[in-house]
Amino acid sequence: MFSELLANVRAAGPLVHNITNYVTANDCANLLLACGAWPIMADDARESAEVTARCGGLHLNLGTLHERTVPALLASGREANARGIPVVLDPVGVGVSRFRRETLARLLGEVRFAVIRGNLSEMRTVASGQGGGRGVDAGGSDQVTEGTLDEAAAFAKALSARTGAVIAMTGAIDIVADSGTAFCIRNGHPMMRRVTGTGCQLSALTAAFAAANPGRALEAAAAAVCAMGLCGEIAHRLLTPEEGNAAYRGHIIDAMYRLTPEQLEEGARYEMR
Amino acid sequence: MFSELLANVRAAGPLVHNITNYVTANDCANLLLACGAWPIMADDARESAEVTARCGGLHLNLGTLHERTVPALLASGREANARGIPVVLDPVGVGVSRFRRETLARLLGEVRFAVIRGNLSEMRTVASGQGGGRGVDAGGSDQVTEGTLDEAAAFAKALSARTGAVIAMTGAIDIVADSGTAFCIRNGHPMMRRVTGTGCQLSALTAAFAAANPGRALEAAAAAVCAMGLCGEIAHRLLTPEEGNAAYRGHIIDAMYRLTPEQLEEGARYEMR
Amino acid sequence: MFSELLANVRAAGPLVHNITNYVTANDCANLLLACGAWPIMADDARESAEVTARCGGLHLNLGTLHERTVPALLASGREANARGIPVVLDPVGVGVSRFRRETLARLLGEVRFAVIRGNLSEMRTVASGQGGGRGVDAGGSDQVTEGTLDEAAAFAKALSARTGAVIAMTGAIDIVADSGTAFCIRNGHPMMRRVTGTGCQLSALTAAFAAANPGRALEAAAAAVCAMGLCGEIAHRLLTPEEGNAAYRGHIIDAMYRLTPEQLEEGARYEMR
């Protein structure tokens, strides 16, 4: 099933608007280009909604959040909603500060999201409004494992029912769920956590998949999660003994550039619960 | 002729001030270092003119434009004009919003540019003040081809006559023109469009060439366009079957680091119309 | 001695808060991940102190300084002081503008730094409050050499006595000093100057080393300087004839990812004066 979803991204070449942090914006742009989409970044409220209106997908990301960006996030989110453009939210490190939690609450109140993509501790904050977690690239103890998988899938389904968004909760095992169905995904490699921004890149990728596959947010998000994880696996096999996380970063994007629909179909490892 | 222009960059090591977007700032800095120049980024109006005053060239770029950056763009542009420092404008995605178009209009009204560098749809907005185009890394249908080359060269010459700036219009075929002469350049590779920021990097490079070759903005811009395209060609030949746009991004900068004046002289493919 | 300090970083995995420029933020994050630490970037005054409170180290960097970031720098610095979290200051290009010098003066007046890391001209501005130097990645004539080493070590010791911070002054020869002892370090490679942000990365790394080695700021800073320089040496040996500064950038981070405590112990080249 996923082969078709990737083929649609390559065929449609959707333009994806990213309001995102400056740490990983370059990688988000190059990953979008690698998958066949086109990136545009614009985060000033004077133009953000106007830019969104030209795009097929919108990626809102709370990393390096600024006060002046909040109106742009809201304006673009509303514009996308009015036009039926899918919106992906990445609540980066949302547990670390009141400012991020308050911004999250405003976004959840005023914007409908097609997909919310984050790690387990970020999703707990989405669910509870409470802080926690170590931050952005941190964590580790806070992972979904085989033992907690059913519980985590139920949590994701319930959160999807409450928010109306597909929940893409990534970690050692990834869960992508709407209120009725959870994809449990076992692609990826632990070393991806040693590359900054693989989560942000996945959120941008999810927006591209959602844009190119209208009305199929659940499958689009699951395909994006499988594709990113699969690229992490392919990239890891390419590493030489001298290479580390910088080379790995490049190999992941390169793997996306080369990824064929057939590879994705064969390499995607998931079950539905 | 172009060998001397590159040799001058390597010999002079000009300091280039960039007021540019956060998506590709790192690549602009590393490409400047690769060509022999030195980058400095500073975009707060409290210091931008003071920084410009210390530099040999100035690169103004409208990507991820912020309201608070507009005074810095104007102040640095005026300072550079007062001191005879060449200014290169990159009107990134200027068709996408009224905010960018209005900022462009202010810049064109208050600053004299040595070179304006953009793609065809950006240049149409420069000429008309009207919006259009899909955005930053997008486009494709909107390219100069053999069939439209004479028309495009005439358009570039007329726009140069109106603005007083050398026009560097890049695409499948690049045109670099002043009011009387157009260089039609056939360097480059289509895959460069799959690396974010190759246009921004070229604008920064053009500022370095203009800084190191005073009074020769037309030749400097043409040499920079040829050099960037040639590096795109060299880099493409280095790609292995596993590599994609991330590796390509690095190879382009590496090719610039290794590019000799003789290679540029031999590899530059252009005609004058 | 240094092997233990690196082992502590890998074992503790400290979270390091960076308020830093957008040009090199991605490289700072990936270098921190390479050494075993975890990065978080947050520069809005609404959350910066709250983020700092969760971290083991703080890195304040004056590159692409913005007026709105100044309150965040001060608030995070004070929060770190109140909690005993080590703070590293990188006064990037502080000589280039009155705005940076005034911000530096405020920071020196209101925050106690564990380490101040910069090049010689930046350190002269720290000492004198006067401008000078060409800027960020520039310089070259302004290096510590064998002939000026004693004088430079005395300068660093005196500046440490005045500021209370360990002084890490990097260049052809690096000096890391408190008021009584100066490490004179001969690691590194001149090509590191052709990669933007190696200094910023070193400052982030120093914060990680200081965080993981409480109460040992002098040794931590010296170990970080040796480690970064050693990675520059290792990375240079990996360069192929086609590679340039972009590949070198990646190799340096990769070398840090692979660097063992034993390699650091054997490769560190320093004397104490």
Side-chain angles (χ1 to χ4, degrees):
Chain A
M1 170 174 65
F2 290 169
S3 63
E4 178 202 351
L5 297 167
L6 174 57
N8 289 344
V9 176
R10 302 243 192 246
L15 186 58
V16 177
H17 181 193
N18 303 269
I19 302 183
T20 189
N21 66 82
Y22 55 75
V23 183
T24 67
N26 186 273
D27 290 332
C28 287
N30 277 327
L31 190 87
L32 285 170
L33 290 163
C35 81
W38 299 95
I40 185 164
M41 275 71 176
D43 62 16
D44 191 291
R46 298 208 162 197
E47 67 172 4
S48 67
E50 204 177 338
V51 170
T52 300
R54 292 170 177 272
C55 291
L58 175 64
H59 162 216
L60 303 183
N61 182 296
L62 301 191
T64 62
L65 186 64
H66 295 147
E67 191 184 354
R68 62 166 183 72
T69 311
V70 175
L73 292 166
L74 292 165
S76 280
R78 284 191 222 105
E79 181 76 22
N81 282 174
R83 291 176 179 270
I85 297 165
V87 189
V88 176
L89 175 65
D90 188 333
V92 178
V94 72
V96 299
S97 76
R98 178 187 301 264
F99 175 47
R100 293 198 198 191
R101 290 194 299 277
E102 287 176 353
T103 302
L104 171 69
R106 290 193 64 185
L107 284 165
L108 292 174
E110 300 185 34
V111 178
R112 288 190 316 279
F113 292 99
V115 185
I116 304 176
R117 209 279 327 152
N119 61 34
L120 179 56
S121 65
E122 287 159 352
M123 287 305 179
R124 284 185 179 144
T125 298
V126 172
S128 70
Q130 304 300 309
R134 275 185 77 201
V136 177
D137 287 310
S141 60
D142 199 27
Q143 298 269 339
V144 175
T145 59
E146 297 296 342
T148 59
L149 185 52
D150 278 326
E151 181 192 356
F155 166 74
K157 285 179 185 174
L159 187 56
S160 179
R162 257 182 62 200
T163 60
V166 169
I167 300 298
M169 193 162 71
T170 51
I173 305 172
D174 308 311
I175 296 171
V176 178
D178 65 12
S179 59
T181 306
F183 287 81
C184 302
I185 299 172
R186 289 180 174 79
N187 288 110
H189 191 281
M191 190 173 162
M192 297 175 82
R193 292 174 59 235
R194 287 282 162 188
V195 177
T196 195
T198 49
C200 302
Q201 290 175 51
L202 172 54
S203 297
L205 184 72
T206 302
F209 270 76
N213 294 285
R216 303 175 67 184
L218 178 64
E219 293 84 356
V225 169
C226 286
M228 192 72 196
L230 183 56
C231 288
E233 297 168 25
I234 295 168
H236 195 264
R237 289 195 292 270
L238 295 175
L239 282 176
T240 68
E242 286 79 23
E243 289 181 337
N245 59 332
Y248 190 44
R249 168 201 188 202
H251 292 336
I252 293 170
I253 296 174
D254 285 349
M256 188 66 71
Y257 187 87
R258 298 286 176 192
L259 188 69
T260 64
E262 295 69 33
Q263 270 182 299
L264 176 57
E265 194 72 38
E266 287 169 26
R269 288 184 291 156
Y270 62 91
E271 54 172 315
M272 285 151 90
R273 293 200 182 187
Chain B
M1 172 173 63
F2 289 168
S3 62
E4 178 203 351
L5 297 166
L6 174 57
N8 289 343
V9 176
R10 302 246 191 244
L15 186 59
V16 176
H17 181 194
N18 302 269
I19 302 182
T20 188
N21 66 81
Y22 55 74
V23 183
T24 68
N26 186 274
D27 290 332
C28 286
N30 277 326
L31 189 85
L32 285 170
L33 289 163
C35 80
W38 299 95
I40 185 164
M41 274 70 177
D43 63 14
D44 191 292
R46 296 207 163 198
E47 67 171 6
S48 68
E50 205 177 337
V51 170
T52 301
R54 293 170 176 271
C55 292
L58 175 64
H59 162 216
L60 303 181
N61 181 296
L62 301 190
T64 61
L65 185 64
H66 295 147
E67 190 182 356
R68 63 166 180 72
T69 310
V70 175
L73 292 166
L74 291 166
S76 281
R78 284 190 222 107
E79 182 75 23
N81 282 175
R83 291 176 178 269
I85 297 165
V87 190
V88 175
L89 174 66
D90 188 334
V92 178
V94 71
V96 299
S97 77
R98 179 188 301 263
F99 174 48
R100 293 199 196 190
R101 291 194 299 278
E102 288 174 353
T103 302
L104 172 69
R106 289 193 62 187
L107 284 166
L108 292 174
E110 299 184 34
V111 178
R112 288 189 317 279
F113 292 98
V115 184
I116 304 174
R117 209 271 339 144
N119 62 32
L120 178 56
S121 65
E122 287 160 352
M123 287 305 178
R124 283 183 179 145
T125 299
V126 171
S128 70
Q130 304 299 309
R134 275 183 78 199
V136 176
D137 287 309
S141 60
D142 200 27
Q143 298 269 340
V144 174
T145 59
E146 298 296 341
T148 59
L149 185 53
D150 278 326
E151 182 192 354
F155 165 74
K157 286 179 184 176
L159 187 55
S160 178
R162 256 183 60 199
T163 59
V166 169
I167 299 299
M169 195 161 70
T170 52
I173 306 173
D174 308 311
I175 295 171
V176 178
D178 65 11
S179 59
T181 307
F183 287 82
C184 301
I185 298 172
R186 287 181 176 79
N187 288 109
H189 191 280
M191 191 174 163
M192 296 175 80
R193 292 174 59 233
R194 287 283 162 187
V195 177
T196 194
T198 48
C200 303
Q201 290 175 53
L202 172 54
S203 296
L205 184 72
T206 302
F209 270 77
N213 295 284
R216 302 175 67 183
L218 177 64
E219 292 84 356
V225 170
C226 286
M228 191 74 195
L230 183 57
C231 287
E233 296 168 26
I234 295 168
H236 195 265
R237 289 195 293 268
L238 295 175
L239 282 176
T240 68
E242 287 79 24
E243 289 181 335
N245 58 331
Y248 190 44
R249 168 201 187 203
H251 292 336
I252 293 170
I253 296 173
D254 285 349
M256 188 66 71
Y257 186 87
R258 298 287 176 191
L259 188 70
T260 64
E262 295 68 34
Q263 269 183 301
L264 176 56
E265 193 72 38
E266 285 169 28
R269 288 185 290 157
Y270 62 91
E271 54 171 315
M272 285 151 90
R273 292 200 181 187
Chain C
M1 173 173 60
F2 289 169
S3 62
E4 178 203 351
L5 297 167
L6 175 58
N8 289 343
V9 176
R10 302 244 192 246
L15 186 59
V16 177
H17 180 193
N18 303 269
I19 303 184
T20 188
N21 66 81
Y22 55 75
V23 183
T24 69
N26 186 274
D27 290 332
C28 286
N30 277 326
L31 189 86
L32 285 169
L33 290 163
C35 79
W38 299 96
I40 184 164
M41 274 70 175
D43 62 14
D44 191 292
R46 298 209 163 197
E47 67 172 5
S48 67
E50 204 176 339
V51 170
T52 300
R54 293 170 176 272
C55 292
L58 175 64
H59 162 215
L60 304 182
N61 181 296
L62 301 190
T64 61
L65 185 63
H66 295 147
E67 190 182 356
R68 63 166 181 70
T69 310
V70 175
L73 292 167
L74 291 166
S76 281
R78 283 191 222 107
E79 182 76 21
N81 282 174
R83 292 176 178 270
I85 297 165
V87 190
V88 176
L89 173 66
D90 188 334
V92 178
V94 71
V96 299
S97 76
R98 179 187 302 263
F99 174 47
R100 293 199 197 190
R101 289 194 301 277
E102 287 174 354
T103 302
L104 171 69
R106 290 193 63 187
L107 286 165
L108 292 175
E110 301 184 33
V111 178
R112 288 189 316 279
F113 293 99
V115 185
I116 305 176
R117 210 277 330 149
N119 61 33
L120 177 57
S121 65
E122 288 159 352
M123 287 304 177
R124 284 185 178 145
T125 298
V126 171
S128 69
Q130 305 299 310
R134 275 185 76 200
V136 177
D137 288 309
S141 59
D142 200 26
Q143 299 269 340
V144 175
T145 59
E146 297 297 342
T148 59
L149 185 52
D150 279 326
E151 181 191 357
F155 166 74
K157 287 179 185 176
L159 187 55
S160 179
R162 257 183 61 200
T163 59
V166 168
I167 300 298
M169 193 161 70
T170 51
I173 305 173
D174 308 311
I175 295 171
V176 178
D178 65 10
S179 59
T181 306
F183 287 81
C184 301
I185 300 172
R186 288 181 175 79
N187 288 109
H189 190 281
M191 190 173 162
M192 296 175 81
R193 293 174 59 233
R194 287 284 162 187
V195 177
T196 195
T198 49
C200 303
Q201 291 174 52
L202 172 54
S203 297
L205 183 72
T206 302
F209 270 77
N213 294 285
R216 302 174 69 183
L218 178 65
E219 293 84 357
V225 169
C226 285
M228 191 73 196
L230 183 57
C231 288
E233 296 168 26
I234 296 168
H236 194 264
R237 288 195 293 268
L238 296 174
L239 283 176
T240 67
E242 285 79 25
E243 289 181 337
N245 59 330
Y248 190 45
R249 169 202 186 201
H251 292 335
I252 293 170
I253 296 173
D254 285 350
M256 188 67 70
Y257 186 87
R258 298 287 176 191
L259 187 70
T260 64
E262 295 68 34
Q263 270 183 301
L264 176 56
E265 194 71 37
E266 285 170 27
R269 288 185 291 157
Y270 62 90
E271 54 171 316
M272 285 151 89
R273 294 200 180 187

